[in-house]
């Protein structure tokens, strides 16, 4: 009987060749991360949220000069604006530019504005305005009642957001093409348009003298102040407008207007996710490298 060699049939394990890949040096990886971050910023600015610089005092005290606000650019793809919301829009040819600060035309300044515009942190263009929605299609807007308040469909509005001394002059007679007077004749808002006004009525050039604005010109809704940090706050619809919408769900004439509901402001919540993705890009690359090593 043949003795069985205990080593018979044994095959030595093949030595796995370990292919070690060098990680990409930081000086090569950093430009790639910057390009990814820049592309993300451009995509966010184009489709989701954009930062806007406040160039004038027409919305004081709600918005101060040089504040930066985030504007939701997708909310009005799902619904029309609501009364009381603060919106950014492109003015018509009747609207005069409102910028109060001089703009440098040096090469560096122009380059900075171009890059800032791409990522959505530059000052708005001359035709971009920010105001509060007062009237919607079919609404009848006028000023003033016996207490100097505006009326919408015959209902007086207590605008607590207008600071003392910031309302326009009640004693001046209305002058065509000027917003110096608080008074203006009743206007019925045409279909597809909205009536907007600044919170600082004494200096705001708005729909009182420049006419209503097409709703299709709206860029988005300003929903939060992000700079300076000590002024960080959300820009909610004032309670007076929420109550008005509940008591008067339809305009005096024209089709029903949308009811207030939970705004799709979740676009803003994408910032942490996208930022996290950008910051973890390097670690993600390292993970891919490690996975390749395991497969080697």
């Amino acid at each position: 009987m043949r003795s069985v060699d205990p080593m018979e049939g044994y095959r030595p394990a093949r030595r796995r060749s370990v292919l070690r890949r060098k990680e990409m040096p930081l000086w090569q990886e950093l430009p790639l991360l910057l390009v990814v971050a820049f592309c993300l910023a451009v995509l966010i600015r184009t489709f989701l949220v954009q930062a806007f610089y406040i160039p004038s005092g027409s919305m004081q005290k709600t918005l101060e000069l040089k504040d930066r606000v985030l504007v939701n650019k997708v909310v009005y793809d799902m619904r029309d604006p609501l009364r009381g919301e603060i919106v950014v829009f492109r003015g018509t040819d009747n609207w005069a530019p409102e910028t109060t600060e001089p703009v440098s035309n040096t090469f560096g300044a122009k380059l900075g504005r171009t890059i800032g515009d791409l990522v959505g942190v530059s000052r708005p263009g001359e035709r971009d305005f920010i105001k509060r929605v007062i009237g919607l299609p079919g609404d009848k807007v006028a000023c003033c009642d016996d207490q100097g308040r505006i009326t919408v469909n015959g209902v007086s509005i207590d605008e607590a957001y207008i600071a003392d001394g910031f309302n326009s002059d009640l004693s001046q007679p209305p002058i065509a093409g000027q917003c110096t007077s608080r008074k203006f004749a009743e206007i019925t808002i045409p279909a597809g348009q909205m009536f907007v006004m600044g919170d600082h009525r004494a200096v705001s050039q708005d729909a009182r003298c420049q006419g209503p604005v097409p709703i299709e010109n709206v860029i988005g809704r300003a929903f939060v102040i992000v700079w300076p940090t000590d002024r960080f706050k959300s820009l909610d619809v004032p309670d007076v407008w929420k109550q008005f919408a509940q008591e008067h769900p339809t305009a005096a004439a024209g089709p029903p207007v949308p009811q207030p509901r939970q705004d799709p402001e979740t676009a803003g919540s994408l910032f942490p996710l996208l930022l996290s993705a950008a910051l973890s890009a390097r670690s993600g690359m390292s993970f891919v490298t490690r996975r390749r090593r395991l497969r080697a």
Side-chain angles (χ1 to χ4, degrees), residues 128-197:
D128 293 341
F129 299 86
I130 184 165
K131 306 289 181 186
R132 191 181 297 276
V133 179
I134 301 297
L136 296 172
D139 283 341
K140 297 180 183 295
V141 183
C143 193
C144 305
D145 67 1
D146 56 0
Q147 297 184 35
R149 299 171 297 182
I150 63 168
T151 62
V152 180
N153 302 332
V155 179
S156 299
I157 307 297
D158 288 310
E159 299 178 282
Y161 44 80
I162 298 181
D164 293 339
F166 280 64
N167 214 333
S168 46
D169 194 345
L170 188 59
S171 63
Q172 285 194 14
I175 302 175
Q178 296 184 23
C179 290
T180 53
S181 174
R182 191 185 310 185
K183 300 177 182 178
F184 59 91
E186 182 179 86
I187 176 175
T188 300
I189 313 304
Q193 300 196 33
M194 61 182 184
F195 193 92
V196 294
M197 300 175 72

Side-chain angles (χ1 to χ4, degrees), residues 57-72:
S58 67
M59 282 296 294
Q60 291 176 314
K61 296 275 194 176
T62 305
L63 300 175
E64 297 290 346
L65 185 68
K66 298 183 181 181
D67 279 355
R68 289 189 183 272
V69 298
L70 291 186
V71 174
N72 186 330

Side-chain angles (χ1 to χ4, degrees), residues 5-6 24-25 53 66 110 117 127 131 135 138 149 163 174 199 201 205 209 217 221 251 256 258 291:
D5 187 350
M24 184 181 296
Y53 172 91
K66 298 183 181 181
K110 290 181 178 179
D117 184 62
R127 289 294 171 186
K131 306 289 181 186
R149 299 171 297 182
D199 289 356
R201 302 284 162 80
Q205 301 295 303
C209 55
N217 284 19
R221 176 190 174 187
R291 186 172 59 182

Side-chain angles (χ1 to χ4, degrees), residues 83-97:
R83 304 181 194 93
E85 291 182 330
I86 298 175
V87 297
V88 174
F89 59 93
R90 291 181 298 275
T92 64
D93 293 339
N94 295 331
W95 284 64

Side-chain angles (χ1 to χ4, degrees), residues 66-283:
K66 298 183 181 181
D67 279 355
R68 289 189 183 272
V69 298
L70 291 186
V71 174
N72 186 330
K73 302 181 73 171
V74 299
V75 58
Y76 297 136
D77 291 335
M78 307 175 193
R79 63 166 175 81
D80 287 337
L82 301 175
R83 304 181 194 93
E85 291 182 330
I86 298 175
V87 297
V88 174
F89 59 93
R90 291 181 298 275
T92 64
D93 293 339
N94 295 331
W95 284 64
E98 205 171 42
T99 303
T100 59
E101 292 185 331
V103 178
S104 174
N105 289 319
T106 63
F107 174 78
K110 290 181 178 179
L111 179 62
R113 288 198 296 269
T114 301
I115 297 175
D117 184 62
L118 284 174
V119 300
V121 296
S122 66
R123 68 173 61 227
E126 289 187 349
R127 289 294 171 186
D128 293 341
F129 299 86
I130 184 165
K131 306 289 181 186
R132 191 181 297 276
V133 179
I134 301 297
L136 296 172
D139 283 341
K140 297 180 183 295
V141 183
C143 193
C144 305
D145 67 1
D146 56 0
Q147 297 184 35
R149 299 171 297 182
I150 63 168
T151 62
V152 180
N153 302 332
V155 179
S156 299
I157 307 297
D158 288 310
E159 299 178 282
Y161 44 80
I162 298 181
D164 293 339
F166 280 64
N167 214 333
S168 46
D169 194 345
L170 188 59
S171 63
Q172 285 194 14
I175 302 175
Q178 296 184 23
C179 290
T180 53
S181 174
R182 191 185 310 185
K183 300 177 182 178
F184 59 91
E186 182 179 86
I187 176 175
T188 300
I189 313 304
Q193 300 196 33
M194 61 182 184
F195 193 92
V196 294
M197 300 175 72
D199 289 356
H200 190 173
R201 302 284 162 80
V203 301
S204 176
Q205 301 295 303
D206 48 44
R208 291 173 291 170
C209 55
Q210 304 191 103
V213 178
I215 292 178
E216 64 181 13
N217 284 19
V218 175
I219 296 172
R221 176 190 174 187
F223 66 94
V224 65
I225 301 173
V226 293
W227 188 264
T229 54
D230 60 349
R231 285 184 44 76
F232 181 89
K233 67 176 180 179
S234 61
L235 299 172
D236 300 324
V237 176
D239 291 338
V240 64
W241 289 113
K242 293 179 181 178
Q243 182 178 354
F244 181 91
Q246 293 175 355
E247 297 176 354
H248 307 275
T250 60
V257 296
Q259 291 297 301
R261 64 180 186 223
Q262 185 66 32
D263 292 335
E265 305 289 12
T266 52
S269 66
L270 292 176
F271 270 112
L273 297 177
L274 293 173
L275 182 60
S276 175
L279 294 177
S280 62
R282 182 176 180 181
S283 61

